Amino acid sequence: MVRLLSTAADRRESVLTTAISAFAAKGYFGTTTVEVAKAAGISQAYLYRLFPDKQTLFAAVVGRCFERILDSFERGTVGDTPDAVLYAIGGAYAELIADQDLLLLQMHAQCAAVSVPEIKDAVRAGYATLVAYAREASGADEKAVQAFFANGALCAIVVTMGAPEVDAPWARTLDHGLRHP
């Protein structure tokens, strides 16, 4: 039997996929590189050969998260008016965040961005790409694009706190009109 060795690029891709779940569980500050390496089935030393430090690894994971969001936006882009296109993109995003790991990673990334410059840069770059895409694909004005992203942020917050399962006026108010899993 011939054993095929993976390339560093293949292993890097595998680590990024695995790291999404690892970081989603406990966030940037609560997850160690030992845990990521173990989940990926590699040594911590090899992890550091692929990614020079934890900040670089997490920033790459955040970048991968934004790539997945952009991909969902692109696949969901339909409609003949700005509002219709943004609505369709929003529906694609709502389906995507059914992946709780992706949703949790987004939340953790935004928290870590407050104090880790590399992560802040990755979050900014991701949003820059998404906003540019939403604006260009929809033809919507700045106010409509801002409202689209504000609605998406509220959707993420509502889902993470489980507001749809709460039978209370405040929860119904926050959840009213949102599309989410």
Side-chain angles (χ1 to χ4, degrees), residues 18-181:
T18 303
I20 289 173
S21 295
F23 283 119
K26 297 192 309 188
Y28 172 75
F29 297 107
T31 305
T32 67
T33 55
V34 170
E35 291 168 324
V36 173
K38 183 177 179 182
I42 61 174
S43 69
Q44 184 181 27
Y46 189 62
L47 178 70
Y48 280 121
R49 286 179 57 202
L50 298 171
F51 300 94
D53 52 43
K54 184 177 172 181
Q55 296 89 345
T56 303
L57 170 61
F58 192 79
V61 169
V62 170
R64 178 56 47 83
C65 175
F66 277 106
E67 288 170 9
R68 288 184 60 196
I69 296 169
L70 179 60
D71 183 56
S72 78
F73 279 18
E74 291 170 344
R75 284 182 284 115
T77 300
V78 295
D80 54 5
T81 67
D83 286 343
V85 172
L86 290 176
Y87 186 81
I89 292 172
Y93 176 74
E95 288 178 23
L96 182 68
I97 65 170
D99 176 349
Q100 290 291 301
D101 284 349
L102 186 70
L103 177 61
L104 291 171
L105 182 71
Q106 283 181 277
M107 302 302 278
H108 287 303
Q110 292 176 38
C111 292
V114 172
S115 59
V116 183
E118 296 89 347
I119 298 169
K120 182 181 287 187
D121 291 345
V123 170
R124 285 177 174 172
Y127 273 106
T129 300
L130 296 180
V131 170
Y133 180 82
R135 182 181 297 136
E136 184 176 315
S138 70
D141 64 20
E142 197 166 274
K143 184 176 180 178
V145 173
Q146 181 189 46
F148 169 76
F149 280 92
N151 195 22
L154 178 59
C155 186
I157 291 167
V158 164
V159 170
T160 58
M161 75 169 132
E165 294 88 43
V166 177
D167 185 22
W170 69 266
R172 287 189 296 276
T173 297
L174 290 179
D175 193 39
H176 179 74
L178 295 180
R179 293 179 298 159
H180 50 72

Side-chain angles (χ1 to χ4, degrees), residues 1-6 11:
M1 176 174 197
V2 176
R3 183 174 168 217
L4 298 175
L5 299 177
S6 63
R11 185 56 84 171

